[in-house]
Amino acid sequence: MPTARQALLEAAHRALADRPWRAVRMVDVATLADVSRQTLYNEFGTKGGLAGALLRQAADGYLAGVDRALTAPAPDRPAAVALWTLRAARQNALVRALLTGHWAEGLPRPDRRPGGKPPPAPEELLALVRDRMAAASPGVTTGRCEIVLRLALSCVTVPVPDDDVTDSRALRLVREATRPVVLERVAGLSGPSRTAGGRSHR
């Protein structure tokens, strides 16, 4: 059974799906969650506190999905994270805004005033995911992980034309970006490369 806090966050999501955040009233959220307004204020303090909790929940949910994607077979982990990023951003406007920094009209925004508890800024979120990807992907550099993420985000902000629901064309672009890593690893296992200054002995 969900806690009062979980019920209130779910109710706030439902309210936000029906109207812009500025039109969402605390009393409406409490009614949807079937709790008292006092419970709502006890949990979040203000409407700004509720907004901050919604955004942090969205960020935490996205990062949890990243961790799930990183359980894929090692060579596919960067592409799995990129695919999850595309899907999460398309399905959740809050995740899209957190990743891109572009806040559509009607969404709650982070409170970055001193003393607040804002969610990660886009560059902070990207760095968190990049570092997790690099740590979980043997042979893939941090720079390559960042390239993969930025490519995925570019497909979020400028969708790939005629892309289907499985993100096939966007995913092929990401795989193209990760393919050199696989080739480099194979070359490294087969012996010294010419570009590294090594020469084979006959």
Side-chain angles (χ1 to χ4, degrees), residues 148-177:
V148 168
L149 276 175
R150 290 190 181 278
L151 180 57
L153 290 174
S154 75
C155 294
V156 170
T157 55
V158 184
V160 177
D162 303 320
D163 208 16
D164 62 24
V165 293
T166 61
D167 304 296
S168 59
R169 294 191 65 215
L171 187 56
R172 282 200 298 273
L173 289 173
V174 172
R175 289 191 184 281
E176 282 294 320

PDB file of all heavy atoms in Angstrom, residues 148-177:
ATOM      1  N   VAL A 148      27.874   9.434 -26.727  1.00  0.00           N
ATOM      2  CA  VAL A 148      26.664   8.626 -26.880  1.00  0.00           C
ATOM      3  C   VAL A 148      25.465   9.327 -26.244  1.00  0.00           C
ATOM      4  O   VAL A 148      24.376   9.405 -26.827  1.00  0.00           O
ATOM      5  CB  VAL A 148      26.868   7.226 -26.273  1.00  0.00           C
ATOM      6  CG1 VAL A 148      25.553   6.475 -26.160  1.00  0.00           C
ATOM      7  CG2 VAL A 148      27.861   6.432 -27.109  1.00  0.00           C
ATOM      8  N   LEU A 149      25.652   9.854 -25.034  1.00  0.00           N
ATOM      9  CA  LEU A 149      24.559  10.544 -24.347  1.00  0.00           C
ATOM     10  C   LEU A 149      24.122  11.794 -25.089  1.00  0.00           C
ATOM     11  O   LEU A 149      22.929  12.061 -25.240  1.00  0.00           O
ATOM     12  CB  LEU A 149      24.995  10.915 -22.927  1.00  0.00           C
ATOM     13  CG  LEU A 149      24.858   9.841 -21.860  1.00  0.00           C
ATOM     14  CD1 LEU A 149      25.457  10.335 -20.558  1.00  0.00           C
ATOM     15  CD2 LEU A 149      23.403   9.453 -21.670  1.00  0.00           C
ATOM     16  N   ARG A 150      25.085  12.565 -25.550  1.00  0.00           N
ATOM     17  CA  ARG A 150      24.739  13.801 -26.256  1.00  0.00           C
ATOM     18  C   ARG A 150      24.050  13.495 -27.581  1.00  0.00           C
ATOM     19  O   ARG A 150      23.166  14.246 -28.015  1.00  0.00           O
ATOM     20  CB  ARG A 150      25.981  14.669 -26.452  1.00  0.00           C
ATOM     21  CG  ARG A 150      26.488  15.260 -25.140  1.00  0.00           C
ATOM     22  CD  ARG A 150      27.562  16.310 -25.332  1.00  0.00           C
ATOM     23  NE  ARG A 150      28.030  16.830 -24.051  1.00  0.00           N
ATOM     24  CZ  ARG A 150      27.414  17.767 -23.347  1.00  0.00           C
ATOM     25  NH1 ARG A 150      26.282  18.294 -23.800  1.00  0.00           N
ATOM     26  NH2 ARG A 150      27.910  18.184 -22.196  1.00  0.00           N
ATOM     27  N   LEU A 151      24.428  12.409 -28.225  1.00  0.00           N
ATOM     28  CA  LEU A 151      23.731  12.003 -29.441  1.00  0.00           C
ATOM     29  C   LEU A 151      22.288  11.617 -29.134  1.00  0.00           C
ATOM     30  O   LEU A 151      21.355  12.003 -29.857  1.00  0.00           O
ATOM     31  CB  LEU A 151      24.470  10.832 -30.087  1.00  0.00           C
ATOM     32  CG  LEU A 151      23.867  10.271 -31.377  1.00  0.00           C
ATOM     33  CD1 LEU A 151      23.740  11.367 -32.431  1.00  0.00           C
ATOM     34  CD2 LEU A 151      24.726   9.135 -31.908  1.00  0.00           C
ATOM     35  N   ALA A 152      22.089  10.868 -28.048  1.00  0.00           N
ATOM     36  CA  ALA A 152      20.728  10.501 -27.657  1.00  0.00           C
ATOM     37  C   ALA A 152      19.900  11.742 -27.356  1.00  0.00           C
ATOM     38  O   ALA A 152      18.740  11.851 -27.777  1.00  0.00           O
ATOM     39  CB  ALA A 152      20.765   9.577 -26.443  1.00  0.00           C
ATOM     40  N   LEU A 153      20.490  12.703 -26.651  1.00  0.00           N
ATOM     41  CA  LEU A 153      19.760  13.925 -26.319  1.00  0.00           C
ATOM     42  C   LEU A 153      19.456  14.756 -27.560  1.00  0.00           C
ATOM     43  O   LEU A 153      18.423  15.432 -27.632  1.00  0.00           O
ATOM     44  CB  LEU A 153      20.550  14.747 -25.302  1.00  0.00           C
ATOM     45  CG  LEU A 153      20.632  14.138 -23.899  1.00  0.00           C
ATOM     46  CD1 LEU A 153      21.549  14.963 -23.009  1.00  0.00           C
ATOM     47  CD2 LEU A 153      19.242  14.029 -23.274  1.00  0.00           C
ATOM     48  N   SER A 154      20.342  14.712 -28.545  1.00  0.00           N
ATOM     49  CA  SER A 154      20.053  15.442 -29.786  1.00  0.00           C
ATOM     50  C   SER A 154      18.838  14.840 -30.485  1.00  0.00           C
ATOM     51  O   SER A 154      18.058  15.560 -31.131  1.00  0.00           O
ATOM     52  CB  SER A 154      21.272  15.425 -30.718  1.00  0.00           C
ATOM     53  OG  SER A 154      21.434  14.158 -31.339  1.00  0.00           O
ATOM     54  N   CYS A 155      18.667  13.499 -30.359  1.00  0.00           N
ATOM     55  CA  CYS A 155      17.493  12.850 -30.945  1.00  0.00           C
ATOM     56  C   CYS A 155      16.226  13.174 -30.154  1.00  0.00           C
ATOM     57  O   CYS A 155      15.114  13.062 -30.677  1.00  0.00           O
ATOM     58  CB  CYS A 155      17.704  11.337 -31.008  1.00  0.00           C
ATOM     59  SG  CYS A 155      19.003  10.815 -32.138  1.00  0.00           S
ATOM     60  N   VAL A 156      16.387  13.549 -28.882  1.00  0.00           N
ATOM     61  CA  VAL A 156      15.244  13.990 -28.079  1.00  0.00           C
ATOM     62  C   VAL A 156      14.799  15.382 -28.526  1.00  0.00           C
ATOM     63  O   VAL A 156      13.614  15.640 -28.738  1.00  0.00           O
ATOM     64  CB  VAL A 156      15.595  14.010 -26.577  1.00  0.00           C
ATOM     65  CG1 VAL A 156      14.498  14.697 -25.772  1.00  0.00           C
ATOM     66  CG2 VAL A 156      15.818  12.589 -26.071  1.00  0.00           C
ATOM     67  N   THR A 157      15.762  16.290 -28.679  1.00  0.00           N
ATOM     68  CA  THR A 157      15.405  17.674 -29.010  1.00  0.00           C
ATOM     69  C   THR A 157      15.054  17.849 -30.484  1.00  0.00           C
ATOM     70  O   THR A 157      14.210  18.665 -30.822  1.00  0.00           O
ATOM     71  CB  THR A 157      16.559  18.623 -28.641  1.00  0.00           C
ATOM     72  OG1 THR A 157      17.758  18.188 -29.293  1.00  0.00           O
ATOM     73  CG2 THR A 157      16.801  18.627 -27.138  1.00  0.00           C
ATOM     74  N   VAL A 158      15.701  17.074 -31.356  1.00  0.00           N
ATOM     75  CA  VAL A 158      15.384  17.105 -32.790  1.00  0.00           C
ATOM     76  C   VAL A 158      15.111  15.662 -33.209  1.00  0.00           C
ATOM     77  O   VAL A 158      16.035  14.944 -33.592  1.00  0.00           O
ATOM     78  CB  VAL A 158      16.536  17.700 -33.625  1.00  0.00           C
ATOM     79  CG1 VAL A 158      16.124  17.804 -35.092  1.00  0.00           C
ATOM     80  CG2 VAL A 158      16.947  19.061 -33.089  1.00  0.00           C
ATOM     81  N   PRO A 159      13.862  15.210 -33.138  1.00  0.00           N
ATOM     82  CA  PRO A 159      13.562  13.799 -33.395  1.00  0.00           C
ATOM     83  C   PRO A 159      14.026  13.357 -34.777  1.00  0.00           C
ATOM     84  O   PRO A 159      14.029  14.131 -35.737  1.00  0.00           O
ATOM     85  CB  PRO A 159      12.031  13.746 -33.279  1.00  0.00           C
ATOM     86  CG  PRO A 159      11.675  14.908 -32.405  1.00  0.00           C
ATOM     87  CD  PRO A 159      12.672  15.974 -32.738  1.00  0.00           C
ATOM     88  N   VAL A 160      14.431  12.088 -34.873  1.00  0.00           N
ATOM     89  CA  VAL A 160      14.842  11.507 -36.147  1.00  0.00           C
ATOM     90  C   VAL A 160      13.592  11.333 -37.016  1.00  0.00           C
ATOM     91  O   VAL A 160      12.621  10.719 -36.581  1.00  0.00           O
ATOM     92  CB  VAL A 160      15.532  10.146 -35.919  1.00  0.00           C
ATOM     93  CG1 VAL A 160      15.902   9.493 -37.254  1.00  0.00           C
ATOM     94  CG2 VAL A 160      16.766  10.333 -35.053  1.00  0.00           C
ATOM     95  N   PRO A 161      13.590  11.866 -38.254  1.00  0.00           N
ATOM     96  CA  PRO A 161      12.393  11.750 -39.106  1.00  0.00           C
ATOM     97  C   PRO A 161      11.991  10.294 -39.339  1.00  0.00           C
ATOM     98  O   PRO A 161      12.842   9.417 -39.529  1.00  0.00           O
ATOM     99  CB  PRO A 161      12.838  12.412 -40.421  1.00  0.00           C
ATOM    100  CG  PRO A 161      13.967  13.308 -40.040  1.00  0.00           C
ATOM    101  CD  PRO A 161      14.669  12.618 -38.898  1.00  0.00           C
ATOM    102  N   ASP A 162      10.689  10.066 -39.275  1.00  0.00           N
ATOM    103  CA  ASP A 162      10.117   8.736 -39.551  1.00  0.00           C
ATOM    104  C   ASP A 162      10.582   7.658 -38.586  1.00  0.00           C
ATOM    105  O   ASP A 162      10.505   6.476 -38.901  1.00  0.00           O
ATOM    106  CB  ASP A 162      10.437   8.299 -40.995  1.00  0.00           C
ATOM    107  CG  ASP A 162       9.925   9.292 -42.022  1.00  0.00           C
ATOM    108  OD1 ASP A 162       8.803   9.805 -41.829  1.00  0.00           O
ATOM    109  OD2 ASP A 162      10.653   9.563 -42.994  1.00  0.00           O
ATOM    110  N   ASP A 163      11.087   8.055 -37.427  1.00  0.00           N
ATOM    111  CA  ASP A 163      11.491   7.051 -36.446  1.00  0.00           C
ATOM    112  C   ASP A 163      10.245   6.334 -35.937  1.00  0.00           C
ATOM    113  O   ASP A 163       9.197   6.952 -35.752  1.00  0.00           O
ATOM    114  CB  ASP A 163      12.217   7.731 -35.286  1.00  0.00           C
ATOM    115  CG  ASP A 163      13.223   6.810 -34.612  1.00  0.00           C
ATOM    116  OD1 ASP A 163      13.565   5.791 -35.221  1.00  0.00           O
ATOM    117  OD2 ASP A 163      13.656   7.127 -33.502  1.00  0.00           O
ATOM    118  N   ASP A 164      10.345   5.024 -35.700  1.00  0.00           N
ATOM    119  CA  ASP A 164       9.175   4.291 -35.227  1.00  0.00           C
ATOM    120  C   ASP A 164       9.222   4.123 -33.712  1.00  0.00           C
ATOM    121  O   ASP A 164      10.123   4.624 -33.045  1.00  0.00           O
ATOM    122  CB  ASP A 164       9.046   2.936 -35.943  1.00  0.00           C
ATOM    123  CG  ASP A 164      10.224   2.010 -35.677  1.00  0.00           C
ATOM    124  OD1 ASP A 164      10.895   2.183 -34.634  1.00  0.00           O
ATOM    125  OD2 ASP A 164      10.480   1.122 -36.495  1.00  0.00           O
ATOM    126  N   VAL A 165       8.252   3.407 -33.189  1.00  0.00           N
ATOM    127  CA  VAL A 165       8.103   3.332 -31.735  1.00  0.00           C
ATOM    128  C   VAL A 165       9.247   2.599 -31.064  1.00  0.00           C
ATOM    129  O   VAL A 165       9.460   2.733 -29.863  1.00  0.00           O
ATOM    130  CB  VAL A 165       6.765   2.648 -31.344  1.00  0.00           C
ATOM    131  CG1 VAL A 165       5.594   3.498 -31.733  1.00  0.00           C
ATOM    132  CG2 VAL A 165       6.657   1.265 -32.002  1.00  0.00           C
ATOM    133  N   THR A 166       9.996   1.799 -31.818  1.00  0.00           N
ATOM    134  CA  THR A 166      11.127   1.092 -31.220  1.00  0.00           C
ATOM    135  C   THR A 166      12.415   1.894 -31.294  1.00  0.00           C
ATOM    136  O   THR A 166      13.479   1.393 -30.951  1.00  0.00           O
ATOM    137  CB  THR A 166      11.354  -0.263 -31.924  1.00  0.00           C
ATOM    138  OG1 THR A 166      11.641  -0.018 -33.311  1.00  0.00           O
ATOM    139  CG2 THR A 166      10.131  -1.155 -31.807  1.00  0.00           C
ATOM    140  N   ASP A 167      12.321   3.144 -31.760  1.00  0.00           N
ATOM    141  CA  ASP A 167      13.484   4.030 -31.843  1.00  0.00           C
ATOM    142  C   ASP A 167      14.587   3.452 -32.739  1.00  0.00           C
ATOM    143  O   ASP A 167      15.765   3.687 -32.535  1.00  0.00           O
ATOM    144  CB  ASP A 167      14.084   4.299 -30.449  1.00  0.00           C
ATOM    145  CG  ASP A 167      13.074   4.871 -29.489  1.00  0.00           C
ATOM    146  OD1 ASP A 167      12.591   5.972 -29.738  1.00  0.00           O
ATOM    147  OD2 ASP A 167      12.774   4.194 -28.506  1.00  0.00           O
ATOM    148  N   SER A 168      14.197   2.700 -33.772  1.00  0.00           N
ATOM    149  CA  SER A 168      15.195   1.946 -34.531  1.00  0.00           C
ATOM    150  C   SER A 168      16.230   2.842 -35.222  1.00  0.00           C
ATOM    151  O   SER A 168      17.428   2.572 -35.148  1.00  0.00           O
ATOM    152  CB  SER A 168      14.498   1.062 -35.575  1.00  0.00           C
ATOM    153  OG  SER A 168      13.729   1.856 -36.469  1.00  0.00           O
ATOM    154  N   ARG A 169      15.790   3.899 -35.883  1.00  0.00           N
ATOM    155  CA  ARG A 169      16.753   4.732 -36.609  1.00  0.00           C
ATOM    156  C   ARG A 169      17.647   5.499 -35.644  1.00  0.00           C
ATOM    157  O   ARG A 169      18.848   5.613 -35.852  1.00  0.00           O
ATOM    158  CB  ARG A 169      16.025   5.711 -37.536  1.00  0.00           C
ATOM    159  CG  ARG A 169      15.282   5.024 -38.683  1.00  0.00           C
ATOM    160  CD  ARG A 169      14.804   6.015 -39.711  1.00  0.00           C
ATOM    161  NE  ARG A 169      15.941   6.661 -40.355  1.00  0.00           N
ATOM    162  CZ  ARG A 169      15.936   7.938 -40.754  1.00  0.00           C
ATOM    163  NH1 ARG A 169      14.871   8.690 -40.541  1.00  0.00           N
ATOM    164  NH2 ARG A 169      16.980   8.457 -41.354  1.00  0.00           N
ATOM    165  N   ALA A 170      17.056   6.035 -34.579  1.00  0.00           N
ATOM    166  CA  ALA A 170      17.871   6.741 -33.584  1.00  0.00           C
ATOM    167  C   ALA A 170      18.866   5.788 -32.934  1.00  0.00           C
ATOM    168  O   ALA A 170      20.026   6.141 -32.706  1.00  0.00           O
ATOM    169  CB  ALA A 170      16.965   7.373 -32.520  1.00  0.00           C
ATOM    170  N   LEU A 171      18.416   4.555 -32.660  1.00  0.00           N
ATOM    171  CA  LEU A 171      19.313   3.597 -32.021  1.00  0.00           C
ATOM    172  C   LEU A 171      20.455   3.209 -32.961  1.00  0.00           C
ATOM    173  O   LEU A 171      21.583   3.007 -32.520  1.00  0.00           O
ATOM    174  CB  LEU A 171      18.526   2.356 -31.595  1.00  0.00           C
ATOM    175  CG  LEU A 171      19.301   1.330 -30.760  1.00  0.00           C
ATOM    176  CD1 LEU A 171      19.884   1.983 -29.503  1.00  0.00           C
ATOM    177  CD2 LEU A 171      18.401   0.166 -30.384  1.00  0.00           C
ATOM    178  N   ARG A 172      20.180   3.126 -34.261  1.00  0.00           N
ATOM    179  CA  ARG A 172      21.262   2.823 -35.207  1.00  0.00           C
ATOM    180  C   ARG A 172      22.324   3.918 -35.195  1.00  0.00           C
ATOM    181  O   ARG A 172      23.525   3.640 -35.299  1.00  0.00           O
ATOM    182  CB  ARG A 172      20.695   2.646 -36.620  1.00  0.00           C
ATOM    183  CG  ARG A 172      20.041   1.294 -36.857  1.00  0.00           C
ATOM    184  CD  ARG A 172      19.952   0.973 -38.337  1.00  0.00           C
ATOM    185  NE  ARG A 172      19.139   1.929 -39.073  1.00  0.00           N
ATOM    186  CZ  ARG A 172      17.819   1.838 -39.213  1.00  0.00           C
ATOM    187  NH1 ARG A 172      17.168   0.829 -38.665  1.00  0.00           N
ATOM    188  NH2 ARG A 172      17.147   2.741 -39.905  1.00  0.00           N
ATOM    189  N   LEU A 173      21.897   5.170 -35.058  1.00  0.00           N
ATOM    190  CA  LEU A 173      22.862   6.267 -34.969  1.00  0.00           C
ATOM    191  C   LEU A 173      23.758   6.099 -33.742  1.00  0.00           C
ATOM    192  O   LEU A 173      24.971   6.317 -33.800  1.00  0.00           O
ATOM    193  CB  LEU A 173      22.133   7.613 -34.904  1.00  0.00           C
ATOM    194  CG  LEU A 173      21.442   8.085 -36.186  1.00  0.00           C
ATOM    195  CD1 LEU A 173      20.621   9.336 -35.898  1.00  0.00           C
ATOM    196  CD2 LEU A 173      22.455   8.362 -37.284  1.00  0.00           C
ATOM    197  N   VAL A 174      23.137   5.731 -32.624  1.00  0.00           N
ATOM    198  CA  VAL A 174      23.911   5.540 -31.399  1.00  0.00           C
ATOM    199  C   VAL A 174      24.879   4.370 -31.560  1.00  0.00           C
ATOM    200  O   VAL A 174      26.042   4.441 -31.143  1.00  0.00           O
ATOM    201  CB  VAL A 174      22.972   5.319 -30.202  1.00  0.00           C
ATOM    202  CG1 VAL A 174      23.760   4.916 -28.963  1.00  0.00           C
ATOM    203  CG2 VAL A 174      22.172   6.590 -29.926  1.00  0.00           C
ATOM    204  N   ARG A 175      24.418   3.282 -32.169  1.00  0.00           N
ATOM    205  CA  ARG A 175      25.303   2.136 -32.367  1.00  0.00           C
ATOM    206  C   ARG A 175      26.486   2.492 -33.270  1.00  0.00           C
ATOM    207  O   ARG A 175      27.598   1.998 -33.069  1.00  0.00           O
ATOM    208  CB  ARG A 175      24.518   0.962 -32.934  1.00  0.00           C
ATOM    209  CG  ARG A 175      23.570   0.326 -31.923  1.00  0.00           C
ATOM    210  CD  ARG A 175      23.027  -0.992 -32.451  1.00  0.00           C
ATOM    211  NE  ARG A 175      22.048  -1.557 -31.528  1.00  0.00           N
ATOM    212  CZ  ARG A 175      22.346  -2.215 -30.422  1.00  0.00           C
ATOM    213  NH1 ARG A 175      23.603  -2.376 -30.079  1.00  0.00           N
ATOM    214  NH2 ARG A 175      21.397  -2.706 -29.646  1.00  0.00           N
ATOM    215  N   GLU A 176      26.242   3.352 -34.257  1.00  0.00           N
ATOM    216  CA  GLU A 176      27.346   3.807 -35.096  1.00  0.00           C
ATOM    217  C   GLU A 176      28.394   4.536 -34.261  1.00  0.00           C
ATOM    218  O   GLU A 176      29.586   4.422 -34.496  1.00  0.00           O
ATOM    219  CB  GLU A 176      26.822   4.729 -36.206  1.00  0.00           C
ATOM    220  CG  GLU A 176      26.172   4.010 -37.367  1.00  0.00           C
ATOM    221  CD  GLU A 176      27.175   3.168 -38.145  1.00  0.00           C
ATOM    222  OE1 GLU A 176      28.317   3.632 -38.335  1.00  0.00           O
ATOM    223  OE2 GLU A 176      26.829   2.038 -38.536  1.00  0.00           O
ATOM    224  N   ALA A 177      27.921   5.304 -33.270  1.00  0.00           N
ATOM    225  CA  ALA A 177      28.853   6.051 -32.424  1.00  0.00           C
ATOM    226  C   ALA A 177      29.655   5.125 -31.514  1.00  0.00           C
ATOM    227  O   ALA A 177      30.787   5.438 -31.152  1.00  0.00           O
ATOM    228  CB  ALA A 177      28.093   7.075 -31.574  1.00  0.00           C
TER     229      ALA A 177
END
